Amino acid sequence: MKILVTGGARSGKSTFAERWVMKQATSADYVATAQAFDDEMKDRIRLHQLQREQSGFTWKTHEAPLELAELLHKLGERSVAKESTAAEVAGPVVLVDCLTLWLSNVLLGAGEGADAVDAVMTREIERLIAAVKAFAGTLVMVTNEVGSGIVPEYPLGRQYRDWAGQLNRKMASIADQVFLVTAGIPIELKSREYRL
């Protein structure tokens, strides 16, 4: 099962994703994509780690700021069943937090020139989509809705916003469920999708 959880900054999407996973299994893999480039980000990462440790749930943390597709292939190869409160969950349970941080890492390392950046971004997004499609187990992915606010002032910001929109749209199309979290309230979107 593939689940996408999206929403704005501080909307409660990571908290919802973690709670969803904790209801499904007794342990899970947590894939962190953040990189600690400054003290503020280091503090955020430490806070998230502490919250997971204090949850009483067994999380195994992996860091994948760039090589997310490779890690998902590796984690998906495991076929150990994990217990759920309601039933057995086939395969591993993995939470990725978050896709848009991974995307920014890829974008910032993509090099110079529009053609080079487009080639790298397209290739990496397609590799990630293939890994998600091939994943055998339960995969919960957190992402951000970055295009709902003001238009970014700088070209890099606009480029990032556009790539994030494309990534989210593609991930939503292959997800079994898509949750939008606003003000801490999750709404499942795919069951409400209007089809033309």
Side-chain angles (χ1 to χ4, degrees), residues 16-75:
F16 169 74
E18 289 174 12
R19 288 181 179 166
W20 190 96
V21 167
M22 288 189 281
K23 286 191 77 166
Q24 306 304 313
T26 57
S27 65
D29 291 284
Y30 185 99
V31 178
T33 62
Q35 296 185 84
F37 290 121
D38 56 37
D39 289 339
E40 187 264 344
M41 195 59 167
K42 287 176 186 173
D43 289 342
R44 282 180 182 241
I45 290 170
R46 276 195 294 268
L47 177 62
H48 279 274
Q49 290 169 337
L50 183 62
Q51 289 170 335
R52 287 194 306 275
E53 288 169 12
Q54 294 175 344
S55 71
F57 186 79
T58 303
W59 293 102
K60 182 176 181 185
T61 302
H62 309 268
E63 294 183 9
L66 291 167
E67 302 301 327
L68 182 54
E70 291 78 5
L71 180 59
L72 290 179
H73 282 301
K74 180 181 171 186
L75 295 175

Side-chain angles (χ1 to χ4, degrees), residues 18-181:
E18 289 174 12
R19 288 181 179 166
W20 190 96
V21 167
M22 288 189 281
K23 286 191 77 166
Q24 306 304 313
T26 57
S27 65
D29 291 284
Y30 185 99
V31 178
T33 62
Q35 296 185 84
F37 290 121
D38 56 37
D39 289 339
E40 187 264 344
M41 195 59 167
K42 287 176 186 173
D43 289 342
R44 282 180 182 241
I45 290 170
R46 276 195 294 268
L47 177 62
H48 279 274
Q49 290 169 337
L50 183 62
Q51 289 170 335
R52 287 194 306 275
E53 288 169 12
Q54 294 175 344
S55 71
F57 186 79
T58 303
W59 293 102
K60 182 176 181 185
T61 302
H62 309 268
E63 294 183 9
L66 291 167
E67 302 301 327
L68 182 54
E70 291 78 5
L71 180 59
L72 290 179
H73 282 301
K74 180 181 171 186
L75 295 175
E77 290 173 355
R78 295 178 313 173
S79 60
V80 177
K82 299 192 181 215
E83 291 183 19
S84 167
T85 56
E88 290 291 318
V89 176
V93 178
V94 175
L95 170 60
V96 176
D97 195 359
C98 80
L99 295 179
T100 39
L101 278 174
W102 168 82
L103 185 76
S104 67
N105 297 336
V106 173
L107 179 60
L108 292 174
E112 299 289 328
D115 290 341
V117 170
D118 286 350
V120 169
M121 298 303 290
T122 300
R123 182 187 71 234
E124 292 304 312
I125 288 172
E126 291 306 317
R127 288 178 65 228
L128 181 58
I129 289 168
V132 169
K133 285 181 177 179
F135 188 82
T138 301
L139 178 60
V140 180
M141 302 166 288
V142 177
T143 191
N144 287 280
E145 281 301 319
V146 298
S148 298
I150 61 171
V151 175
E153 181 178 356
Y154 299 101
L156 182 61
R158 291 190 297 275
Q159 190 177 29
Y160 172 72
R161 175 208 55 192
D162 293 347
W163 282 112
Q166 289 182 44
L167 175 64
N168 288 349
R169 190 173 65 243
K170 289 178 180 184
M171 286 300 178
S173 73
I174 62 173
D176 299 297
Q177 291 183 307
V178 177
F179 290 94
L180 172 65
V181 182

